[in-house]
Amino acid sequence: MTQTNTKQLSNELSTEKDAIRPFHINVPEEEIIELKRRIIATRWPEKETVADQSQGTKLETIQELARYWACEYDWRKIESRINSYPHFITEIDGLDFHFIHVRSKHENAMPILIAHGWPGSIIEQMKLIDPLTNPTAHGGSESDAFHVVIPSMPGYGFSGKPTATGWNPKRIASAYSELMTRLGYTKYVAQGGDWGSIVVNFMGVQEPKGLIGIHTNMPEVIPPEVDAAIWSGNPLPAGLSDEEKKACEQVRENKFAYAFQMGTRPQTLTGLADSPIGLAAFMIDHDWKSHALIARSFAGFKEGLTRDDVLDNITLFWLTNTAISAARLYWENTVAGVSFFAAKGVKLPVAASVFPDEMYEAPKSWTEKAYPNLIHYNKLPKGGHFAAWEQPEFMTSEIRTAFKSLR
């Protein structure tokens, strides 16, 4: 991976560590050729012995993905699209952070930081940029406009790869707050799903100067005693409503095999840095509903994510060789002792959007307790874990509505 003239340009602009350096993607053609060679040379396992996805990514799905990836997929399309937006790198807390930064033409636009998770990237949120920054062209009004900042997490995409321990969600939250300050924003909001939700929840806990509210599409609302019972496999506490019991069972049914592996032995996954098909099979086996959606996309069904959507993201991980550096975030989180779904103690204004195919549907009863300053709660009719990617229209509408009262 190369960044065209970035170092030279940075030296010309500033010698300060907090310099904001323009960035450009230009993947050498030989890297694309090598990727396809490795895909074609894949040594396949035998077919699974079950009819469903209970043993993981099905052979039929991954072989069709491989065929399309090697024979039809074009990385240059997404590369060109990424480069069509202004994006930059700046050093924060000793690490380079890559980010997209698109300012709206509307004078009173609200600054928003949008945070991705795993196995996501900036690509996951790019469908939101135009509707949020140019709302009048997408069914909104000038009063709906946002200035959009989308950073790549440490170890992900074009951000730096930590060479020492300590880059957990709390530290990333602090770095994101510094990024918004460095960009000159004195009043802003933050949005996130997956790790992005955990990070912006910690931004809410830390209450940095300028942050006035957060929005999450993966609300972290499970009471600590219930969260402990879910993960230990012990009986659930008495007195839960049917909706709350359903949420607990939804968490349990996802198994989270990928999270346990990355949370305890990320370096053991070295094979993901050597095999593009190994990487792809691992990345698409996330929660069972999004896994099923992706499998359907490679079976020819058009809904939510397209085949190109899925491969844009996987190819970015491959070309930046970030499978292991990204996985270490789970290890860092394990060391830090942070729960994925337990309430974090946010006191700032919070908006929550609940999508039906999320890893669990956050009950309103828990959401109101977890976020005492809840300004918006809505259950959507369609969408899952990667809501901004799958259902950008719903997500755009939710973000506009969520922060309307804070303008």
Side-chain angles (χ1 to χ4, degrees), residues 173-192:
S174 296
Y176 282 2
S177 301
E178 169 59 25
L179 174 60
M180 295 303 280
T181 298
R182 189 170 297 181
L183 293 174
Y185 293 128
T186 58
K187 180 181 177 182
Y188 65 92
V189 295
Q191 193 285 327

Side-chain angles (χ1 to χ4, degrees), residues 258-269:
Y258 65 91
F260 286 113
Q261 178 68 33
M262 292 189 287
T264 55
R265 293 293 188 272
Q267 203 69 23
T268 300
L269 295 167

Side-chain angles (χ1 to χ4, degrees), residues 358-377:
E358 180 54 271
M359 290 189 286
Y360 81 102
E361 295 176 81
K364 191 172 185 179
S365 57
W366 285 350
T367 306
E368 290 174 332
K369 292 177 183 177
Y371 302 125
N373 199 351
L374 186 67
I375 58 173
H376 173 77
Y377 175 92

Side-chain angles (χ1 to χ4, degrees), residues 36 159-160 193 253 309 336:
K36 293 185 177 183
S159 282
E253 72 187 356
D309 284 333

Side-chain angles (χ1 to χ4, degrees), residues 77-357:
K77 290 182 180 179
I78 190 64
E79 181 181 83
S80 176
R81 187 171 165 226
I82 297 172
N83 282 329
S84 72
Y85 296 114
H87 52 134
F88 308 87
I89 286 182
T90 191
E91 183 181 322
I92 301 174
D93 195 7
L95 191 72
D96 276 346
F97 277 78
H98 166 262
F99 61 98
I100 291 175
H101 183 201
V102 183
R103 289 184 58 85
S104 173
K105 65 182 179 181
H106 298 298
E107 183 178 351
N108 295 318
M110 172 180 278
I112 183 172
L113 180 142
I114 305 179
H116 72 79
W118 187 94
S121 65
I122 56 168
I123 290 172
E124 188 184 340
Q125 283 86 14
M126 281 173 52
K127 294 177 183 179
L128 301 179
I129 295 175
D130 292 339
L132 292 179
T133 58
N134 188 16
T136 55
H138 297 272
S141 63
E142 288 188 21
S143 61
D144 294 318
F146 290 86
H147 302 308
V148 174
V149 178
I150 307 176
S152 297
M153 288 200 299
Y156 287 65
F158 306 108
S159 282
K161 300 176 182 179
T163 57
T165 60
W167 278 103
N168 57 52
K170 296 178 183 179
R171 189 173 178 184
I172 297 172
S174 296
Y176 282 2
S177 301
E178 169 59 25
L179 174 60
M180 295 303 280
T181 298
R182 189 170 297 181
L183 293 174
Y185 293 128
T186 58
K187 180 181 177 182
Y188 65 92
V189 295
Q191 193 285 327
D194 194 86
W195 282 119
S197 176
I198 296 172
V199 169
V200 302
N201 267 260
F202 278 122
M203 290 176 72
V205 171
Q206 294 166 3
E207 297 190 17
K209 185 178 180 181
L211 180 65
I212 61 173
I214 67 171
H215 172 262
T216 171
N217 56 285
M218 190 189 80
E220 293 144 53
V221 302
I222 300 179
E225 67 279 7
V226 179
D227 188 64
I230 291 173
W231 294 104
S232 66
N234 291 333
L236 297 173
L240 299 182
S241 70
D242 289 344
E243 187 181 28
E244 291 165 349
K245 290 177 184 177
K246 177 183 176 183
C248 295
E249 294 309 314
Q250 287 175 323
V251 174
R252 282 179 167 172
E253 72 187 356
N254 274 301
K255 309 299 183 187
F256 299 101
Y258 65 91
F260 286 113
Q261 178 68 33
M262 292 189 287
T264 55
R265 293 293 188 272
Q267 203 69 23
T268 300
L269 295 167
T270 296
L272 303 186
D274 186 61
S275 167
I277 294 302
L279 175 66
F282 188 79
M283 287 179 65
I284 66 177
D285 188 12
H286 192 264
D287 64 286
W288 75 267
K289 290 183 180 178
S290 62
H291 179 184
L293 172 66
I294 291 170
R296 290 194 298 272
S297 75
F298 283 96
F301 295 91
K302 294 184 178 180
E303 54 172 320
L305 301 177
T306 67
R307 294 178 297 179
D308 279 5
D309 284 333
V310 175
L311 286 173
D312 287 342
N313 189 54
I314 296 172
T315 306
L316 177 62
F317 269 75
W318 175 262
L319 294 173
T320 55
N321 192 16
T322 49
I324 305 303
S325 57
R328 290 195 194 103
L329 177 56
Y330 284 83
W331 184 91
E332 293 284 0
N333 193 67
T334 300
V335 171
V338 175
S339 169
F340 294 129
F341 306 126
K344 304 295 188 292
V346 182
K347 301 297 190 296
L348 287 178
V350 177
S353 300
V354 179
F355 287 83
D357 290 335

